């Protein structure tokens, strides 16, 4: 078997065998296939897709590349959550402690940024001292002690996905249903949850641009879950404008803290309650209405916020030191309703400011970001603040940021945030 033949076979739209996929993945992980050949292979998959059988093979090979975690030492049902990634998507930072404050054990393994979308682990690292690495034993011990842990995918959980994910981030190979489905499901299956809730983002700021593609991704992940006997529920959510106001690393952590104190943006709160109600109702075997009631109560009485503080302290972070650069305000050039905020373009600008990586080795600038002062549907006056750009001397183009906004004299129809729930 050789890599060029396998790349060519996929380029010619032919179905690969499990042995061929295993050869590419395992030899890449061992360092025998270089980045440029693996990038070509991934690009052939982006262009020509994979059958469901190939996708399940790829998932299986990535699971087998490392160890699987047995969470049976944790009391209670473990329900994991994962997002396909969006702009300003800080949901896990709010959801994990809030759900844990309701008595559900949350053992969460999260990822870094991918393409223009940010990653929970990069965001958490903007908190001074925050540790994202732990052994399997420490991870389980933490969940048993305080009810929640958010760790980086350890080197041993689906290491093939970890290496391929980092390459996809910098090779234009992020937007592919089989690659996303196998990447997410290999980690979720290997990390041992009993059930999985997935937030599938749709729109300009998401990997899936259309509802049809998002549905297809959801069904692919549900099929993979069924293959492993794991129930999967998917929520399709709108990502045409950024989630909440903050897009960056440190500034998203600060917005998450405000949300847990009950002062968060309404879209973020709605999403947290929707995903949280699925997680809590599965884990505690209660109705979704009861779950929503518990979650709302713990947003109001501060128990969710207390749980976040406990989590940060346990993982050695200092909540009083979150990176945030100084900002300048950009003002509106005219009066009118905001009819569109281009999430993808905002993500591009924030990534270029240094919040994401251009190359695998790049380090992140945690303090930069864009904080919106308006959302779609708001009316602004000429010279009113549109955004705050947090930066540290980088080149910024005001015009490029202004171009993210579309104005009209007529109020736009508000798009729903929750598009579909596939149970
Ligand atoms: N999240 C993942 O873990 N993998 C992807 O490919 C996309 C989002």
């Amino acid at each position: 078997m050789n890599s060029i033949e396998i790349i060519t076979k996929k380029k010619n739209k032919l179905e690969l065998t499990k042995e061929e996929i295993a050869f590419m993945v395992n030899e890449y992980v061992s360092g025998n296939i270089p980045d440029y050949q693996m990038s070509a292979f991934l690009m052939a998959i982006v262009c020509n897709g994979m059958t469901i059988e190939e996708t399940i093979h790829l998932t299986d090979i990535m699971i087998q590349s490392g160890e699987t975690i047995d969470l049976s030492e944790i009391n209670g049902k473990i329900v994991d959550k994962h997002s396909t990634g969006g702009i300003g998507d800080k949901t896990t930072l709010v959801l994990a402690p809030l759900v844990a404050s309701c008595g559900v054990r949350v053992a969460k393994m999260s990822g870094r940024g991918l393409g223009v979308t940010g990653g929970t682990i990069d965001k958490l690292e903007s908190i001074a001292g925050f540790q994202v690495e732990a052994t399997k034993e420490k991870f389980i011990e933490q969940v048993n002690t305080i009810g929640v842990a958010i760790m980086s995918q350890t080197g041993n959980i689906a290491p093939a996905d970890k290496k391929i994910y980092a390459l996809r981030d910098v090779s234009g190979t992020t937007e592919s249903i089989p690659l996303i489905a196998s990447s997410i499901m290999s980690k979720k299956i290997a990390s041992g949850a009993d059930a999985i809730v997935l937030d599938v983002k749709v729109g300009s700021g998401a990997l899936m641009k259309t509802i049809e593609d998002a549905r297809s991704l959801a069904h692919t992940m549900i099929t993979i879950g069924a293959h492993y006997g794991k129930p999967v529920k998917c929520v399709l959510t709108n990502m045409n404008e950024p989630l909440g106001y903050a897009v960056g690393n440190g500034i998203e952590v600060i917005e998450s803290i405000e949300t847990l104190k009950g002062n968060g943006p309404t879209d973020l709160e709605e999403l947290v309650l929707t995903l949280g109600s699925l997680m809590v109702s599965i884990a505690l075997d209660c109705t979704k209405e009861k779950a929503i009631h518990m979650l709302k109560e713990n947003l109001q009485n501060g128990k969710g916020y207390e749980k976040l503080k406990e989590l940060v302290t346990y993982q050695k972070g200092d909540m009083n030191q979150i990176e945030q650069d100084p900002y300048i305000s950009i003002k509106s050039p005219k009066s009118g309703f905001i009819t569109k905020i281009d999430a993808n373009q905002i993500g591009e600008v924030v990534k270029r400011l240094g919040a994401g990586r251009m190359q695998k080795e790049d380090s992140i600038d945690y303090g930069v970001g864009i904080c919106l002062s308006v959302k779609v549907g708001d009316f602004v006056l000429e010279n009113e603040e549109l955004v705050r750009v947090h930066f540290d001397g980088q080149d910024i183009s005001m015009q490029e940021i202004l171009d993210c906004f579309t104005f009209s004299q007529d109020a736009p129809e508000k798009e729903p945030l929750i598009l579909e729930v596939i149970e």
Side-chain angles (χ1 to χ4, degrees):
M1 228 177 271
N2 87 54
S3 47
I4 302 172
E5 273 170 22
I6 299 171
I7 297 167
T8 308
K9 192 169 169 188
K10 189 38 75 188
K11 185 187 76 176
N12 291 337
K13 301 192 171 87
L14 297 172
E15 185 168 353
L16 302 176
T17 64
K18 185 166 186 182
E19 290 67 35
E20 288 165 331
I21 300 170
F23 178 85
M24 290 303 294
V25 172
N26 295 335
E27 292 298 307
Y28 178 60
V29 174
S30 311
N32 299 329
I33 291 183
D35 279 355
Y36 56 85
Q37 284 188 335
M38 194 61 184
S39 302
F41 180 60
L42 294 169
M43 189 56 87
I45 296 174
V46 171
C47 296
N48 294 333
M50 277 183 146
T51 62
I52 188 68
E53 287 76 21
E54 288 177 297
T55 310
I56 291 176
H57 292 328
L58 178 56
T59 309
D60 211 46
I61 291 157
M62 296 209 286
I63 295 171
Q64 302 302 329
S65 71
E67 60 180 340
T68 48
I69 297 195
D70 177 4
L71 294 179
S72 58
E73 284 167 46
I74 297 175
N75 302 327
K77 217 183 229 181
I78 303 290
V79 185
D80 205 348
K81 169 263 168 189
H82 201 89
S83 153
T84 58
I87 311 298
D89 184 7
K90 70 255 331 153
T91 313
T92 295
L93 302 176
V94 183
L95 185 66
L98 185 63
V99 166
S101 74
C102 296
V104 177
R105 306 279 179 189
V106 181
K108 177 89 184 80
M109 264 181 206
S110 290
R112 298 191 179 276
L114 185 68
V116 290
T117 68
T120 302
I121 291 302
D122 293 333
K123 291 171 201 187
L124 282 169
E125 282 184 339
S126 64
I127 305 174
F130 195 94
Q131 302 290 311
V132 297
E133 310 279 348
T135 60
K136 189 164 75 173
E137 293 69 29
K138 287 267 172 225
F139 180 63
I140 292 177
E141 183 190 300
Q142 179 174 337
V143 179
N144 272 330
T145 313
I146 64 164
V148 56
I150 308 178
M151 296 290 176
S152 168
Q153 180 184 351
T154 70
N156 292 335
I157 296 291
D161 169 64
K162 195 169 184 176
K163 192 164 176 189
I164 293 171
Y165 186 96
L167 184 63
R168 286 171 58 214
D169 183 32
V170 291
S171 60
T173 53
T174 52
E175 290 158 13
S176 150
I177 290 174
L179 293 181
I180 298 170
S182 57
S183 163
I184 292 178
M185 293 307 289
S186 62
K187 287 182 286 238
K188 298 294 103 179
I189 304 291
S191 49
D194 299 307
I196 301 154
V197 173
L198 298 171
D199 177 7
V200 181
K201 306 268 184 213
V202 195
S204 93
L207 296 175
M208 295 294 102
K209 306 292 180 207
T210 66
I211 188 90
E212 291 75 22
D213 280 350
R215 272 190 206 120
S216 169
L217 174 59
H219 285 294
T220 304
M221 294 192 287
I222 290 170
T223 306
I224 298 174
H227 178 80
Y228 292 95
K230 304 274 182 191
V232 175
K233 298 190 182 200
C234 294
V235 184
L236 272 46
T237 66
N238 193 323
M239 190 24 82
N240 278 329
E241 69 174 321
L243 186 65
Y245 292 94
V247 184
N249 292 294
I251 59 173
E252 287 193 38
V253 174
I254 293 167
E255 185 167 72
S256 305
I257 292 172
E258 284 307 308
T259 306
L260 282 166
K261 287 181 175 171
N263 311 319
T266 48
D267 56 351
L268 176 59
E269 197 177 301
E270 183 185 352
L271 181 57
V272 164
L273 292 175
T274 305
L275 295 168
S277 68
L278 290 172
M279 293 173 77
V280 172
S281 60
I282 300 170
L284 301 185
D285 204 12
C286 65
T287 62
K288 277 196 260 177
E289 291 67 32
K290 169 110 197 291
I292 291 219
H293 178 76
M294 291 167 77
L295 292 160
K296 279 189 176 161
E297 201 164 72
N298 285 3
L299 268 183
Q300 277 149 18
N301 63 20
K303 285 194 180 160
Y305 175 55
E306 289 305 318
K307 193 50 85 180
L308 175 72
K309 284 205 291 194
E310 220 177 327
L311 167 81
V312 171
T313 306
Y314 206 97
Q315 292 188 223
K316 309 222 168 4
D318 179 353
M319 287 265 272
N320 298 316
Q321 286 192 62
I322 300 169
E323 282 195 43
Q324 180 181 201
D325 288 335
Y327 66 83
I328 54 156
S329 291
I330 299 187
K331 305 279 188 330
S332 178
K334 54 181 147 188
S335 299
F337 287 98
I338 306 290
T339 54
K340 188 172 167 220
I341 302 175
D342 187 332
N344 189 60
Q345 195 50 31
I346 296 268
E348 285 285 355
V349 173
V350 172
K351 180 174 174 175
R352 257 184 284 125
L353 279 175
R357 298 174 185 80
M358 295 295 177
Q359 301 201 345
K360 280 199 295 183
E361 309 66 29
D362 287 352
S363 55
I364 294 266
D365 191 336
Y366 297 106
V368 298
I370 285 186
C371 196
L372 305 172
S373 310
V374 292
K375 296 283 282 179
V376 169
D378 288 350
F379 185 85
V380 281
L381 293 170
E382 188 179 342
N383 268 328
E384 218 180 308
E385 186 179 80
L386 272 186
V387 290
R388 294 178 173 184
V389 186
H390 293 260
F391 72 120
D392 186 20
Q394 293 89 338
D395 270 345
I396 55 167
S397 154
M398 301 267 198
Q399 194 53 50
E400 193 180 21
I401 295 172
L402 283 173
D403 287 346
C404 298
F405 294 83
T406 310
F407 299 82
S408 163
Q409 287 319 306
D410 303 317
E413 223 168 86
K414 190 82 183 147
E415 295 179 8
L417 176 69
I418 309 297
L419 302 171
E420 269 172 42
V421 179
I422 308 180
E423 297 201 38

